[in-house]
Each structure stands twice: as C-alpha cells, then as structure tokens.
Amino acid sequence: MKPRSLLITAMAAMTLAFAAVRFAPAQAAQSPPPTRIAVINLAQVFDKLDEQAANTAQLDKITAQLNDEQSKRKDELTKLSGELSSPNYPFKPGSDEYKKAQDNVLQKSMELEAFSNMAQQKIALETRDRMIRLYTHIQDAVNQYCKANGIALLLVQDDANLSSAKTPQDLLGRIMNRKVIYADPGFDITQKLIAQMNADYRMGAGK
C-alpha cells in the first residue's frame, strides 16, 4: 500500500474512533445522596401502633390465664391445709395417713411456688420477645420510609417530662440524655410512620 493510502486509512480510523467516543451514550449519572433530616418520637410510635395494642391484649390474655391457674392451685392448697388443721380431720396427727396428707400439702405448696416463678418468667420472656419483634418492625418501616423520602439522618426526639423528676439528679439525667432539644414540626415523621405501619398491619402485615 502506498504511503498516501496508509495516511488516509489512518486518518479515517482516527476519525471513526473520535466519533465513537464523542457520540457514545453517557454513563448514567449516579443519583445524589439524600440530604433531608427528620426526627421521630419513638415513645409515641410504640404507644400508638395497632401491633402494640394487639400485643398488650394478647399479653393480658396470657397473664389472665396464668393468674387463673395460679388462683386454682392456691385455692386447692388452702382447702387441703384447712382440712389438715381441722379438728374433724379423720386421721390423727402422727398417723401414716396424716403424714401422707402433710406430704401432699407440702408438695402442692412447692408446686404452687414453682408455678408462680414459671408464670412470671413466661410473661417476662413473652413481653421481651414481642418487644423485640415490634422494634424490628419499626426499624424496617423507618428504613423503608427514609429511603423512599430521601431522608439521610433520623434523630430520636423524646418527651423530656421534666416535671415528673423526683430528684435534682434525676432531673439532670433527663436533661443530659435528651438527643434533640428542638426540631421544627415539619421535620417530625412520627405520625406519618404510625399511619403507614398501622395501615400495613391492618392489611395483614402483622399476621
């Protein structure tokens, strides 16, 4: 190939390469990071969620069932103890039958104490597990809401309730533990999050 032809070919290739770079589709620009700031009152969220109301009702039901069983056991123990101490009891103190009755009362007393401890632990564990699940649901809802609304930072705004402090130390502790002193109401997403979570719960998300 002649030098002139080589030069023309090289120039053509450079022109095509330049055009390819110039007219190549631009890479999709990354969306800017969120910049909004918001606040939330977690105490109000916990207090006004339908899921929390359902948890409270279920815990009350479990507590009532355990209390009813404990009351029956206590009544039975009271009856047996009363019969054993009655002057009309058919067996004399010291007899084998009387000792068996005493052992039965002691056994029932131990069972009542064990049941009472078990009931307290059961209610405590059930309350803890439900609290963990509820907080997890709140955290998930917060994450979704913030991502959907371009919120970069969410702060907890609490109710100080300074007037209920009983000592100067208690008052100082409440003041020092405050995370947000002031936020414009427009930054507060508490009610919006409550409404969204309750709507989701009623649609079956809480089953």
Side-chain angles (χ1 to χ4, degrees), residues 2 126 133:
K2 296 181 179 181
E126 188 71 23
R133 287 198 299 270

Side-chain angles (χ1 to χ4, degrees), residues 37-41 153-157 179-180:
I37 297 176
V39 296
I40 189 172
N41 189 314
L153 180 64
L154 181 63
L155 303 174
V156 175
Q157 184 177 34
K179 301 174 183 66
V180 177

